C-alpha cells in the first residue's frame, strides 16, 4: 500500500533534475509538501511547476542556492526554517563529479565540498527542526563508489594528488560515514539517518564536468541505465515507508540493507571525519548530542 504523506514536509536538495526530481514527484504524489532546491530560480520554478503537475499536488516550494558555497547553504537553511514550521524528511541528494580539481568560493575542493560538506552543514543547520518534528528522517544519496573510497586526511582537499574517481569515491564514502555518525549521535531522538546507492541512473550526472570524462561511457551505458524513477525508488522508500520507521545507521540499495565498505565502519576515522568537517564548516564538533 502506498503510504499517505499528507501533513508531512520533505526537503530534497537538487530536486530540479535527475533522481531528486523523480523522488519529488513520487513523494508529492503521496501528499507531502515538497521543497526542492536548485541553483537557478527560473529553472527551479519551472521544475517545481512540472513536479506539481505530474504529482497532482500544488504544494511544491522552491529554495535557491549553490550548495558548494557554505554561505549559500546557511542562507538556504535559514529560508527553509522560515518557511517550514516542521520538517519530516531531509533528502540530501545533490552530488557531482569532476575529472579535474576545482575550488569552491570557500577555497575548498569542490567534490568534497559539494558532495560531503554541503549535506553535513545543511543537516546540522536543520537538525533542531527535524528533532522538533519527530519521527523524522535524514536520507542521504551515496553510491556504490563508496566501496572504492578512502579518506586521505592528510590531503582532504586533493592538493597533492587529485583524480575525479578518487575524490568522488571518497565523498561517497564520507556520505556513509556521516550517516553512521549522525545516527549514533541521534540515537533516541526519533530522527533516523539512512544512506543508499540509487543504482546507475540515466540523469545529467557529471554532464557539467568540463572534461566530460563520463560522456563516452554514458553513451554506451545509457540503454542499460535505470530511469530516474527507478533510481529514486530507494530514496522514496527510505523517505516514506512505514517499513523503515526507526531504522537508522544503515546503508541501502534496492530497498535492502547492504554492507558498506570496511572503511566506512572505522570508528576513529568516522569520529575524525566529523571533527574535521565541523571545523571546515565552522560548527561545534559536539553537536548534536543525541537523546540517550
Ligand atoms: N546517476 C547515477 O548513476 C548515480 C549513481 C550513484 C549515485 N548517484 C548520486 O545521486 C545523486 C543525484 O545525482 P543525479 O544523477 O540525479 O544528478 P543530476 O541529474 O546531475 O542532478 C543533480 C541535481 O543537483 C543540483 N545541483 C547540482 N549542482 C549543484 C550545486 N552546486 N548546488 C545546488 N544544487 C546543485 C541540480 O540542480 P540545478 O542544476 O537546477 O542547480 C540537480 O537538481 C548524487 O549525489 C550522485 O552522486 C547518481
Amino acid at each position: 500500500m502506498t503510504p499517505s504523506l499528507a501533513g508531512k514536509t520533505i526537503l530534497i536538495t537538487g530536486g530540479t533534475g535527475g533522481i531528486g526530481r523523480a523522488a519529488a514527484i513520487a513523494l508529492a504524489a503521496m501528499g507531502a509538501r515538497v521543497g526542492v532546491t536548485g541553483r537557478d530560480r527560473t529553472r527551479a520554478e519551472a521544475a517545481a511547476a512540472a513536479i506539481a503537475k505530474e504529482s497532482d499536488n500544488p504544494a511544491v516550494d522552491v529554495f535557491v542556492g549553490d550548495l558548494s558555497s557554505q554561505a549559500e547553504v546557511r542562507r538556504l537553511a535559514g529560508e527553509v526554517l522560515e518557511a517550514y514550521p516542521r520538517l519530516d524528511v531531509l533528502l540530501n541528494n545533490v552530488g557531482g563529479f569532476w575529472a579535474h580539481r576545482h575550488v569552491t568560493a570557500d577555497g575548498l575542493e569542490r567534490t568534497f565540498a559539494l558532495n560531503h560538506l554541503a549535506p553535513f552543514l545543511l543537516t546540522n543547520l536543520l537538525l533542531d527542526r527535524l528533532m522538533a518534528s519527530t519521527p523524522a528522517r535524514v536520507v542521504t544519496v551515496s553510491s556504490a563508489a563508496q566501496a572504492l573510497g578512502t579518506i586521505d586526511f592528510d590531503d582532504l582537499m586533493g592538493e597533492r594528488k587529485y583524480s575525479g574517481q578518487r575524490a568522488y569515491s571518497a565523498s561517497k564514502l564520507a556520505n556513509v560515514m556521516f550517516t553512521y555518525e549522525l545516527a549514533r549521535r541521534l540515537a533516541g531522538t526519533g530522527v533516523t539517518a539512512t544512506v543508499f546507492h540509487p543504482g546507475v541512473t540515466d540523469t545529467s550526472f557529471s554532464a557539467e564536468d568540463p572534461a566530460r570524462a563520463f560522456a563516452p561511457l554514458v553513451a554506451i551505458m545509457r540503454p542499460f541505465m535505470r530511469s530516474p524513477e527507478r533510481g529514486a525508488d530507494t530514496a522514496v522508500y527510505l523517505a516514506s515507508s512505514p517499513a523503515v520507521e526507526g531504522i537508522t545507521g544503515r546503508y541501502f540499495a534496492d530497498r535492502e540493507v547492504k554492507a558498506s565498505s570496511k572503511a566506512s565502519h572505522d570508528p576513529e576515522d568516522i569520529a575524525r571525519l566529523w571533527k574535521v568537517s565541523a571545523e571546515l564548516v565552522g560548527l561545534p564538533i559536539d553537536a548534536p548530542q543525541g537523546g540517550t
Side-chain angles (χ1 to χ4, degrees):
M1 199 182 81
T2 307
S4 167
L5 300 181
K8 304 271 185 198
T9 302
I10 298 178
L11 181 70
I12 303 175
T13 68
T16 61
I19 291 165
R21 183 183 184 281
I25 293 168
L27 293 165
M30 293 179 204
R33 169 167 286 276
V34 173
V36 294
T37 85
R39 284 163 293 179
D40 177 81
R41 179 162 297 279
T42 307
R43 193 165 64 222
E45 283 177 353
I51 292 163
K53 191 164 176 230
E54 286 187 52
S55 64
D56 201 17
N57 179 352
V60 183
D61 310 306
V62 161
F63 299 93
V64 177
D66 181 341
L67 301 185
S68 70
S69 154
Q70 291 179 17
E72 297 218 6
V73 175
R74 288 177 184 278
R75 182 187 44 73
L76 187 141
E79 289 172 11
V80 171
L81 293 173
E82 188 78 15
Y84 290 160
R86 61 177 296 121
L87 184 60
D88 300 278
V89 180
L90 168 62
L91 174 56
N92 287 311
N93 164 70
V94 166
F97 175 96
W98 291 275
H100 302 293
R101 187 174 182 275
H102 300 269
V103 171
T104 66
D106 301 308
L108 304 171
E109 188 280 307
R110 193 192 281 167
T111 321
F112 191 75
L114 182 65
N115 295 9
H116 167 61
L117 292 177
F120 177 88
L121 177 57
L122 184 65
T123 304
N124 276 289
L125 294 173
L126 298 179
L127 215 45
D128 284 348
R129 189 59 44 88
L130 288 155
M131 285 200 270
S133 312
T134 53
R137 304 177 182 190
V138 178
V139 179
T140 300
V141 188
S142 177
S143 163
Q146 57 81 23
L148 307 171
T150 52
I151 310 279
D152 182 353
F153 286 100
D154 296 326
D155 189 23
L156 267 187
M157 294 302 133
E159 285 163 308
R160 280 186 231 151
K161 198 169 165 188
Y162 182 90
S163 93
Q165 194 55 58
R166 266 169 66 98
Y168 182 70
S169 302
S171 74
K172 292 289 139 180
L173 171 62
N175 292 153
V176 180
M177 294 164 85
F178 159 67
T179 298
Y180 291 168
E181 179 63 4
L182 184 67
R184 192 188 69 76
R185 288 176 179 237
L186 291 177
T189 64
V191 183
T192 59
T194 53
V195 58
F196 74 99
H197 167 55
V200 179
T201 307
D202 188 2
T203 66
S204 301
F205 181 72
S206 82
E208 277 180 37
D209 180 18
R212 305 284 285 133
F214 277 156
L217 188 65
V218 169
I220 298 166
M221 288 286 290
R222 182 155 281 130
F224 308 103
M225 287 176 155
R226 294 181 169 189
S227 65
E229 294 69 32
R230 178 114 194 274
D233 178 69
T234 298
V236 173
Y237 176 72
L238 293 174
S240 66
S241 176
V244 286
E245 188 70 62
I247 293 181
T248 192
R250 292 284 181 273
Y251 173 76
F252 285 77
D254 292 330
R255 296 190 172 206
E256 287 181 6
V257 174
K258 294 274 158 67
S260 60
S261 73
K262 191 160 171 261
S264 70
H265 293 285
D266 185 307
E268 278 176 26
D269 282 356
I270 288 176
R272 191 174 175 189
L273 179 66
W274 190 282
K275 182 170 181 291
V276 75
S277 303
E279 285 165 359
L280 285 166
V281 300
L283 287 178
I285 64 158
D286 51 351
Q289 291 290 359
T292 53

